């Protein structure tokens, strides 16, 4: 088989395995998705909440979208940062299976090790969601195509079930 044919087969296979192009959703669909996520908080730890060392991530939907991450050893946080935006754009894959939440005018903040504001390049970072309306199956993935998230991240770049937290007033 020639190299050109092999390349076409590989590219076709890759295209079939992806969710296809993403398009903005209409305002009605966007409101449905925002309503499903509003005032909810999800967290995940690797290997677990008491592990040492561990990575922790929180996604929350209070006043927009916030991604918080921490790397800790024992009871001590070593690295900690967050990306937040009061607004986010919603896109959906051609297949309809994946929703992408894109930060609008995001700000970033690193708390540890060296505090700084807007020092993390966040232009291409987004959050993907599957099964947004199914509380038992909802899954998230952090998209960092440029590898901009600080060490020791990226965090949960594959589909991950985040535990939902109950927030009490």
């Amino acid at each position: 088989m020639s190299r050109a044919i092999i390349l076409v087969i590989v590219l076709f296979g890759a295209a079939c395995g992806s969710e296809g192009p993403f398009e903005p959703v209409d305002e009605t669909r966007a409101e449905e998705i925002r309503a499903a996520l509003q005032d909810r908080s999800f967290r995940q730890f690797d290997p677990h909440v008491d592990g040492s060392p561990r990575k922790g991530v929180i996604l929350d939907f209070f006043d927009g979208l916030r991604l918080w991450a921490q790397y800790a050893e024992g009871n001590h946080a070593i690295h900690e940062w967050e990306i937040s935006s009061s607004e986010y754009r919603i896109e959906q894959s051609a297949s309809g299976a994946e929703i992408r939440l894109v930060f609008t005018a995001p700000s970033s903040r690193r708390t540890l090790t060296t505090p700084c504001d807007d020092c993390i390049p966040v232009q291409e970072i987004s959050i993907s969601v599957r099964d947004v309306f199914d509380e038992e199956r909802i899954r998230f993935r952090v998209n960092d195509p440029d590898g901009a998230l600080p060490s020791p991240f990226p965090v949960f770049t594959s589909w991950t079930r985040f535990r939902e937290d109950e927030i009490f007033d």
Side-chain angles (χ1 to χ4, degrees):
M1 217 184 276
S2 76
R3 288 184 181 173
I5 293 172
I6 292 171
L7 179 62
V8 168
I9 291 170
V10 168
L11 290 174
F12 181 74
C16 290
S18 73
E19 291 291 333
F22 283 80
E23 297 290 331
V25 299
D26 64 41
E27 195 54 40
T28 301
R29 179 75 170 154
E31 287 306 314
E32 291 171 349
I33 293 167
R34 282 189 183 94
L37 295 170
Q38 182 65 38
D39 296 333
R40 294 175 76 185
S41 179
F42 302 87
R43 66 179 57 215
Q44 180 60 279
F45 295 93
D46 183 28
H48 53 81
V49 70
D50 296 320
S52 182
R54 72 183 166 280
K55 295 186 280 185
V57 174
I58 297 174
L59 286 171
D60 78 38
F61 297 91
F62 301 97
D63 301 320
L65 172 60
R66 183 175 77 112
L67 170 66
W68 172 91
Q70 182 187 77
Y71 174 77
E73 295 178 1
N75 293 327
H76 303 285
I78 307 298
H79 298 282
E80 188 173 275
W81 53 265
E82 81 176 81
I83 300 166
S84 62
S85 179
S86 60
E87 300 286 328
Y88 57 94
R89 187 174 73 247
I90 302 173
E91 302 172 345
Q92 191 163 6
S93 65
S95 72
E98 182 177 337
I99 294 168
R100 186 183 300 160
L101 310 176
V102 181
F103 292 92
T104 303
S107 63
S108 66
R109 185 174 70 131
R110 185 172 58 218
T111 309
L112 298 170
T113 55
T114 306
C116 62
D117 290 332
D118 294 320
C119 55
I120 302 165
V122 295
Q123 291 75 16
E124 299 299 318
I125 296 171
S126 63
I127 308 298
S128 287
V129 185
R130 283 191 178 156
D131 300 310
V132 69
F133 300 108
D134 186 337
E135 291 185 22
E136 298 298 317
R137 297 181 60 200
I138 191 169
R139 302 278 188 274
F140 297 93
R141 180 180 71 208
V142 177
N143 305 308
D144 181 19
D146 295 335
L149 297 178
S151 178
F153 305 98
V155 177
F156 305 112
T157 56
S158 61
W159 290 106
T160 304
R161 170 89 169 117
F162 281 50
R163 191 187 84 213
E164 184 168 4
D165 282 340
E166 291 186 33
I167 305 298
F168 299 100
D169 290 330

